[in-house]
């Protein structure tokens, strides 16, 4: 029996099948890219939520507030329109604070050059609104809103007039070499002529 086993031919079985790599070995690059995109999305979302929606320019905020005030009854419309004007003036210059009375505001505005072109409509609007609010005078809301818009237009025009744009030079200046402390050497004597000995 032992002899029969020893005489049995030796048979090669061939190569074994290839072991497939694990999923993490095959797709590690795709996984890193996906992880990077997720991190980038989270950072972008946090930045967007932190900033919030962009705020409107002061003139646009004034225009929105005046449109809302037009739909109100006269006393509420006058109060909202003058409040919107005061917020606009305060956003234009911090010295024209909302908490100032009309007389204090007029005194502050008189010293600011941006408000000089709008002085007449501003005074008319503020005094007529005070007369309507505190003395019971009659005031047409469309006239008040038109006066506020005219004053704001003049303030914006004055801003553009008084703005000093900073223009960058088209070509940067060339750097100048530093002045040497030692003067340059004087030129030496001319070379002597050569004599040819023949």
């Amino acid at each position: 029996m032992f002899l029969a086993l020893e005489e049995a031919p030796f048979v090669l079985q061939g190569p074994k099948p290839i072991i497939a790599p694990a999923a993490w070995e095959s797709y590690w690059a795709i996984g890193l890219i996906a992880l990077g995109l997720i991190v980038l999305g989270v950072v972008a979302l946090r930045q967007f939520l932190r900033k919030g929606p962009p705020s409107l320019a002061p003139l646009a905020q004034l225009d929105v507030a005046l449109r809302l005030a037009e739909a109100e009854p006269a006393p509420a419309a006058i109060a909202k329109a003058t409040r919107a004007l005061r917020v606009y003036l305060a956003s234009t210059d911090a010295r024209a604070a909302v908490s100032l009375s009309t007389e204090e505001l007029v005194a502050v505005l008189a010293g600011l050059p941006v408000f000089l072109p709008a002085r007449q409509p501003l005074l008319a609007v503020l005094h007529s609104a005070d007369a309507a609010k505190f003395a019971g005078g009659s005031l047409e809301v469309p006239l008040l809103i038109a006066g506020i818009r005219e004053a704001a237009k003049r303030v914006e025009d004055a801003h553009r007039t008084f703005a000093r744009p900073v223009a960058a030079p088209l070509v940067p200046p060339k750097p100048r070499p530093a002045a040497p402390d030692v003067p340059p050497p004087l030129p030496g004597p001319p070379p002597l002529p050569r004599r040819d000995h023949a």
Side-chain angles (χ1 to χ4, degrees):
M1 180 152 173
F2 291 113
L3 187 60
L5 285 176
E6 287 180 8
E7 291 177 4
F10 181 71
V11 178
L12 293 175
Q13 295 183 0
K16 292 188 177 186
I18 298 174
I19 300 173
W24 65 271
E25 291 175 338
S26 298
Y27 303 111
W28 66 271
I30 295 173
L32 283 178
I33 291 172
L35 181 64
L37 289 175
I38 290 171
V39 169
L40 186 64
V42 168
V43 169
L45 183 64
R46 287 189 66 198
Q47 287 294 329
F48 178 74
L49 293 177
R50 184 179 302 158
K51 287 182 183 176
S55 62
L56 294 174
L59 185 62
Q61 289 177 356
L62 175 67
D63 190 46
V64 169
L66 291 178
R67 287 184 186 175
L68 292 174
E70 287 175 340
E72 299 285 330
I78 292 170
K80 286 185 178 182
T82 54
R83 174 76 178 168
L85 175 64
R86 286 178 172 268
V87 168
Y88 168 73
L89 294 175
S91 66
T92 304
D93 194 324
R95 292 174 278 189
V98 177
S99 61
L100 297 176
S101 69
T102 301
E103 297 306 318
E104 292 170 339
L105 183 63
V106 168
V108 167
L109 295 180
L112 301 174
V114 173
F115 297 108
L116 289 179
R119 181 175 167 79
Q120 182 181 5
L122 279 174
L123 289 175
V125 164
L126 292 172
H127 287 306
S128 59
D130 281 350
K133 285 192 293 189
F134 302 120
S138 64
L139 177 62
E140 294 292 325
V141 175
L143 291 176
L144 175 70
I145 291 176
I148 291 174
R149 285 192 172 128
E150 175 64 25
K153 180 184 172 293
R154 289 188 184 186
V155 169
E156 290 296 318
D157 289 343
H159 268 292
R160 283 191 291 274
T161 302
F162 292 129
R164 294 182 185 158
V166 178
L170 296 176
V171 178
K174 292 182 180 178
R176 294 185 177 179
D181 293 337
V182 179
L186 296 173
L192 297 174
R194 290 185 55 174
R195 292 186 189 169
D196 289 333
H197 295 283

